[in-house]
């Protein structure tokens, strides 16, 4: 399956918060939609008002035609007026499409209306234009509801920011902000740029970007000078999110054009880049269907040569078939559902890049998860303290915290943080720290020699570990822990265990995925098999494949695809990029703030929340069901109307009513997705 990244799709154009659906049928390009919404004497509703005027003139003309005392030209004048107002936008768009070398449905409708006038059936032609223009106007109104749901993203970010420069505070536009500027965000106001909190603590409503329903606590980094994009989530904020009750000072990390919100808008604007399988089918169908219809219509013009009827009757039948066969509903059936589905997903913090991923997600049979940061928290935590030689847990923790406070090893911070949470008090630092590369550390604490390290450190120094210590280490490591031995003077007083623990929601989410019909769930990780198996057992995954290099993950995805059909790879979008590209659908976790994750994946879960995945799959399945309904409705209507108009049972008026009714039906059916809620 070929995939295009957002980076390949992006242009240097300004971000325009609107998405363009297919240009077939009733859908036109962005310029047309802009005209419908904003142009004309009645403002954005001009097309709708013109259609209403057309209907009024048609009604008056029809009523006057029954009054014998009034001249016939009066009724005709009203019909001609109806033609003008009903055909204004139809003619405008037909001319524009012909100028581009296209013959679209507007042109077919115009030809049908002119044909009716030639036959003297002015009221039939006016009725066609009234219903077509009214359908057009209501369709644009309905589709714009879905578009506006997405376009509202552009309104999230404030237009100005309060910045501190040269010890002075002043208000500037967000376009003037520079990286490393310090901005001040007042309580209950929107944050104007991506950045890192350097002063103040507050709860921030991140729902506009990540879909999280509960405000997230933000705290300042310890060293503002060292603040960069790689700090943990509790220090990061995004443009467009809403500050809580306290003042925050934020160091800007991305200028306005590069913010998470800006990237999100760009990607949403490209959601039609990947067409869904159904859209590809309808495109192919129309390529063959339209020429066949045109040949049929031309043939019917000469029916009077074969059967006993006048040319006018043959012409009328041909025009009726032309109206009946116009594939408006078919052309709009998929884009209306796709656009609504994407808008609904975006509202819950799930970015879906087009109709392709939207449909494919619901048909997945297997899921492959990266472990670190996806199924687990992504950072080690202190998981166990084992006491030995009569020492208490408090004594072991005190020694460990005092020594590890001095270390810059990646595990040291986790040990200190977890230890202090257990101990619930501060501990003074040890003295004379000495690191033993890859093995552990040595220090002096309260006059005693402390050694903390892995078994290899003690074996290196010729110390034989007691059998009970070895059995405890084996037990902890089988559970997926990294174990360290704590020695005071020459006595082993305890063991500490660390582990990248599973996410709290992981087990429940995986159970939910199995309930909704995902047949196979596997874990792919670079960690050793023992750790992979331990984590998998805790969260309910039967298949855990450990010690995999990136290229081995790609092969694993290929093998899964052969065995199971459609498979998704869920990861962080960075080191899992090759495996994501190989999968049917690539899904990035916690993509907010990560340019690589946003650009790599087909679907991005903006919040770092695994439990958004079942919602996304359920939404996809609902979208696919609605697309299928729309397809059957639109094809069914065409299949019924063509024979009825050929045999003369259905007139132009009946064909138009049925035709426009089915078009609006599929549009509003698609809009149901905007209100989608997953069943609990």
């Amino acid at each position: 399956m070929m995939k295009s990244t957002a980076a390949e799709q992006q242009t240097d154009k300004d971000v325009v918060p609107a998405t363009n659906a297919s240009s077939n049928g009733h859908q036109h390009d962005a310029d047309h939609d802009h005209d419908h919404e904003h142009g004309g004497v009645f403002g954005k509703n001009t097309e709708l008002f013109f259609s209403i005027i057309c209907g009024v003139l048609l009604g008056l003309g029809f009523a006057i035609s029954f009054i014998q005392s009034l001249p016939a030209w009066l009724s005709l004048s009203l019909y001609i007026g109806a033609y003008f107002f009903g055909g204004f936008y139809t003619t405008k768009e037909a001319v524009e499409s012909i100028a581009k070398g296209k013959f679209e449905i507007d042109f077919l409708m115009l030809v049908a209306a002119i044909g009716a006038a030639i036959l003297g059936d002015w009221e039939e032609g006016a009725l066609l234009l009234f219903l077509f223009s009214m359908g057009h106007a209501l369709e644009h109104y309905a589709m714009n509801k879905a578009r506006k749901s997405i376009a509202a993203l552009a309104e999230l970010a404030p237009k100005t920011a309060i910045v501190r420069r040269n010890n002075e505070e002043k208000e500037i536009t967000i376009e003037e902000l520079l990286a490393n500027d310090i901005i001040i965000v007042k309580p209950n106001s929107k944050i104007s740029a991506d950045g890192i909190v350097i002063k103040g603590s507050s709860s921030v409503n991140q729902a506009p970007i990540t879909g999280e329903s509960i405000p997230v606590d933000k705290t300042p980094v310890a060293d503002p000078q060292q603040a960069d994009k790689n700090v943990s989530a509790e220090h990061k904020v995004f443009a467009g999110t809403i500050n809580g009750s306290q003042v925050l000072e934020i160091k800007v990390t991305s200028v306005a054009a590069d913010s998470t919100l800006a990237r999100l808008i760009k990607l949403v604007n490209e959601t039609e880049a990947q067409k869904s399988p159904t859209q590809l089918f309808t495109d192919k169908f129309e390529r063959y269907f339209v020429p066949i219809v045109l040949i049929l219509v031309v043939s019917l013009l000469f029916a009077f040569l074969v059967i006993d009827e006048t040319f006018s009757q043959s012409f009328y039948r041909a025009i009726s078939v032309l109206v009946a066969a116009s594939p408006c509903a078919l052309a709009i059936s998929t884009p209306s559902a796709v656009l609504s589905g994407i808008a609904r997903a975006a509202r819950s913090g799930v970015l879906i890049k087009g109709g392709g991923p939207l449909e494919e997600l619901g048909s997945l049979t297997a899921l492959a998860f990266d472990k670190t940061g996806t199924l687990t928290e992504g950072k080690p935590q202190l998981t166990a303290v084992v006491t030995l030689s009569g020492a208490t847990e408090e004594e072991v923790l005190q020694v460990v915290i005092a020594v590890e406070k001095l270390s810059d090893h990646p595990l040291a911070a986790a040990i200190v943080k977890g230890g202090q949470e257990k101990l619930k008090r501060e501990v003074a630092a040890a003295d004379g720290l000495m690191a033993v590369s890859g093995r552990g550390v040595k220090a002096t604490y309260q006059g005693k020699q402390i050694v903390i390290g892995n078994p290899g450190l003690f074996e290196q120094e010729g110390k034989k570990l007691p059998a009970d210590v070895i059995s405890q280490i084996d037990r902890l490591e089988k559970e997926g822990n990294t174990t360290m031995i704590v020695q005071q003077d020459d006595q082993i007083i305890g063991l500490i265990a660390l582990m990248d623990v599973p996410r709290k929601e992981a087990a429940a989410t995986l159970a939910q995925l199995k309930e909704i019909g995902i047949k196979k769930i596997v874990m792919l990780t670079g960690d050793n098999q023992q750790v992979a198996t331990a984590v998998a057992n805790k969260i309910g995954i039967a298949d855990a494949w450990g010690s995999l290099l990136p290229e081995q993950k790609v092969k694993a995805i290929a093998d899964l695809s052969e065995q199971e059909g459609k498979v998704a790879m869920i990861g962080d979008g960075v080191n899992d990029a090759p495996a994501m590209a190989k999968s049917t659908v690539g899904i990035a976790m916690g993509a907010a703030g990560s340019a690589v994750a946003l650009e790599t994946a087909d679907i991005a879960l903006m919040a770092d929340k695994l439990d958004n995945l079942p919602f996304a799959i359920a939404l996809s399945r609902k979208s696919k069901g609605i697309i299928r309904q729309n397809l059957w409705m639109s094809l069914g209507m065409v299949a019924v109307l063509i024979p009825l108009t050929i045999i003369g049972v259905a007139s132009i008026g009946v064909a138009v009513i049925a035709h426009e009714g089915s078009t609006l039906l599929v549009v509003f059916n698609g809009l149901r997705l905007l209100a989608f809620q997953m069943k609990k």
Side-chain angles (χ1 to χ4, degrees):
M1 174 181 165
M2 293 294 291
K3 295 185 180 180
S4 56
T5 65
E8 292 169 331
Q9 297 163 11
Q10 286 173 0
T11 67
D12 294 329
K13 294 178 183 177
D14 293 335
V15 176
V16 181
T19 35
N20 298 334
S22 169
S23 62
N24 297 326
H26 272 203
Q27 285 305 103
H28 303 282
D29 56 33
D31 293 335
H32 288 163
D33 284 332
H34 183 80
D35 288 340
H36 293 145
E37 195 172 356
H38 302 292
V41 293
F42 296 110
K44 65 180 182 179
N45 294 316
T46 299
E47 185 180 23
L48 180 61
F49 284 122
F50 270 32
S51 178
I52 292 169
I53 293 169
C54 169
V56 170
L57 293 175
L58 168 64
L60 287 172
F62 189 69
I64 286 173
S65 66
F66 290 98
I67 303 174
Q68 300 294 331
S69 59
L70 294 175
W73 62 262
L74 186 58
S75 179
L76 179 61
S77 300
L78 291 168
Y79 287 144
I80 291 171
Y83 260 67
F84 172 79
F85 286 102
F88 182 84
Y89 279 100
T90 305
T91 305
K92 181 175 180 290
E93 289 167 14
V95 170
E96 287 174 359
S97 63
I98 291 168
K100 295 175 183 177
K102 299 176 184 176
F103 289 90
E104 293 183 347
I105 291 165
D106 304 277
F107 175 74
L108 299 181
M109 292 297 103
L110 197 59
V111 169
I114 292 169
I118 291 170
L119 292 171
D121 293 324
W122 286 91
E123 67 278 10
E124 292 269 24
L127 176 64
L128 187 157
L129 290 174
F130 165 62
L131 291 173
F132 186 73
S133 61
M134 179 61 73
H136 228 183
L138 292 176
E139 178 191 311
H140 287 136
Y141 171 79
M143 290 295 288
N144 280 335
K145 281 193 71 177
R147 284 207 180 92
K148 284 172 183 175
S149 181
I150 294 173
L153 285 170
E155 301 302 317
L156 291 176
K159 303 293 183 281
T160 60
I162 299 171
V163 65
R164 180 184 295 131
R165 290 177 182 167
N166 301 321
N167 293 321
E168 287 185 13
E169 293 181 9
K170 60 178 179 177
E171 190 170 354
I172 62 172
T173 64
I174 60 168
E175 288 78 17
E176 296 177 80
L177 280 176
L178 304 173
N180 298 321
D181 269 343
I182 305 300
I183 59 172
I184 290 89
V185 182
K186 294 180 179 178
N188 305 312
S189 61
K190 288 182 179 178
I191 295 171
S192 49
D194 283 13
I196 294 160
V197 179
I198 60 170
K199 188 175 180 182
S201 297
S202 188
S203 291
V204 173
N205 179 0
Q206 296 191 154
I209 301 295
T210 67
E212 291 166 284
S213 57
I214 299 171
V216 179
D217 290 337
K218 300 293 177 180
T219 56
V221 290
D223 183 0
Q225 299 304 316
Q226 300 298 316
D228 61 26
K229 292 183 181 181
N230 297 319
V231 299
S232 55
E234 64 263 31
H235 308 309
K236 282 186 185 179
V237 292
F238 307 114
T241 56
I242 303 161
N243 186 22
S245 59
Q246 305 297 318
V247 175
L248 291 178
E249 290 191 18
I250 296 163
K251 182 179 179 181
V252 175
T253 54
S254 299
V255 295
D258 296 327
S259 71
T260 300
L261 179 61
R263 289 198 306 271
L264 191 57
I265 294 167
K266 282 183 183 178
L267 291 172
V268 167
N269 284 328
E270 292 157 359
T271 53
E272 285 299 306
Q274 296 187 47
K275 287 195 173 184
S276 72
T278 309
Q279 280 175 290
L280 294 173
F281 164 76
T282 55
D283 288 350
K284 189 175 182 180
F285 178 83
E286 286 176 29
R287 277 203 303 271
Y288 294 102
F289 178 72
V290 173
I292 290 169
V293 167
L294 291 175
I295 292 168
L296 175 63
V297 169
V298 171
S299 301
L300 289 171
L301 287 173
F302 299 98
F304 72 95
L305 298 175
V306 181
I307 58 177
D308 185 21
E309 66 179 16
T310 64
F311 171 72
S312 294
Q313 290 171 314
S314 295
F315 188 81
Y316 185 87
R317 180 189 289 109
I319 294 298
S320 298
V321 170
L322 186 65
V323 173
S326 294
C328 294
L330 180 65
I332 198 65
S333 61
T334 308
S336 65
V338 166
L339 201 59
S340 298
I342 289 169
R344 175 66 188 92
R347 216 163 61 220
S348 292
V350 179
L351 174 63
I352 301 177
K353 297 184 190 174
L358 179 66
E359 279 196 50
E360 295 284 17
L361 183 63
S363 59
L364 294 172
T365 53
L367 299 177
F369 287 89
D370 173 45
K371 180 184 77 71
T372 307
T374 302
L375 292 172
T376 64
E377 295 288 349
K379 51 193 175 186
Q381 293 183 22
L382 184 64
T383 51
V385 178
V386 177
T387 59
L388 300 165
S389 305
T392 65
E393 182 175 291
E394 184 175 348
E395 288 170 343
V396 174
L397 285 172
Q398 187 169 313
V399 167
V400 168
I401 294 168
V403 174
E404 295 294 349
K405 262 188 171 182
L406 302 175
S407 175
D408 59 0
H409 191 278
L411 295 179
I415 293 170
V416 173
K417 183 174 183 287
Q420 287 185 334
E421 284 173 357
K422 284 178 178 288
L423 209 54
K424 293 183 171 58
R425 63 181 172 85
E426 283 293 319
V427 175
D431 300 307
L433 183 80
M434 184 178 76
V436 183
S437 182
R439 303 285 186 181
V441 292
K442 296 179 179 180
T444 302
Y445 181 64
Q446 294 180 346
K448 296 178 181 179
Q449 290 299 311
I450 309 298
V451 180
I452 303 173
N454 60 28
L457 173 61
F458 294 87
E459 289 166 9
Q460 179 182 307
E461 297 186 350
K463 184 176 179 70
K464 186 173 174 62
L465 296 174
D468 63 327
V469 172
I470 292 172
S471 67
Q472 291 274 29
I473 291 171
D474 287 343
R475 176 184 65 80
L476 289 167
E477 290 188 346
K478 280 178 183 173
E479 292 173 0
N481 293 286
T482 297
T483 308
M484 301 176 80
I485 300 165
V486 184
Q487 178 179 285
Q488 185 172 264
D489 285 338
D490 289 324
Q491 191 174 44
I492 295 175
I493 63 169
L495 304 173
I496 55 172
L498 295 106
M499 184 181 177
D500 181 10
V501 298
R503 290 174 178 270
K504 291 176 183 176
E505 73 272 22
T509 300
L510 293 171
Q512 193 176 10
L513 289 168
K514 289 171 186 172
E515 281 176 21
I516 64 175
I518 300 298
K519 294 177 183 175
K520 190 166 185 77
I521 298 175
V522 302
M523 178 199 292
L524 307 179
T525 180
D527 266 351
N528 67 65
Q529 188 62 50
Q530 189 166 282
V531 171
T533 303
V535 172
N537 289 340
K538 286 185 178 180
I539 59 179
I541 290 184
D543 296 294
W545 303 344
S547 304
L548 297 180
L549 297 171
E551 57 268 27
Q552 291 173 314
K553 285 187 179 182
V554 173
K555 186 179 184 305
I557 292 293
D559 292 342
L560 268 175
S561 297
E562 279 184 26
Q563 297 161 16
E564 303 295 333
K566 295 187 177 181
V567 58
M569 176 69 195
I570 302 102
D572 61 11
V574 183
N575 55 4
D576 298 311
M580 283 184 179
K582 187 70 176 175
S583 63
T584 309
V585 178
I587 303 172
M589 277 282 297
S594 168
V596 177
L598 281 173
E599 292 174 5
T600 302
D602 300 301
I603 295 169
L605 307 180
M606 301 304 292
D608 202 22
K609 291 174 66 180
L610 196 61
D611 45 12
N612 269 349
L613 186 55
F615 161 79
I617 292 174
L619 174 64
S620 169
R621 289 178 176 175
K622 184 69 173 177
S623 301
K624 200 168 182 180
I626 284 180
I627 288 168
R628 196 179 293 115
Q629 291 168 11
N630 283 355
L631 204 59
W632 281 111
M633 279 191 283
S634 54
L635 287 173
M637 187 59 71
V638 170
V640 169
L641 280 179
I642 289 178
L644 290 179
T645 49
I646 288 176
I647 63 175
V649 172
S651 65
I652 289 178
V654 171
V656 170
I657 291 169
H659 177 275
E660 291 305 313
S662 66
T663 300
L664 288 175
L665 192 61
V666 299
V667 169
F668 287 111
N669 192 41
L671 286 177
R672 289 196 298 132
L673 286 169
L674 289 174
F676 174 78
Q677 296 292 334
M678 186 176 177
K679 292 178 182 176
K680 298 295 183 183

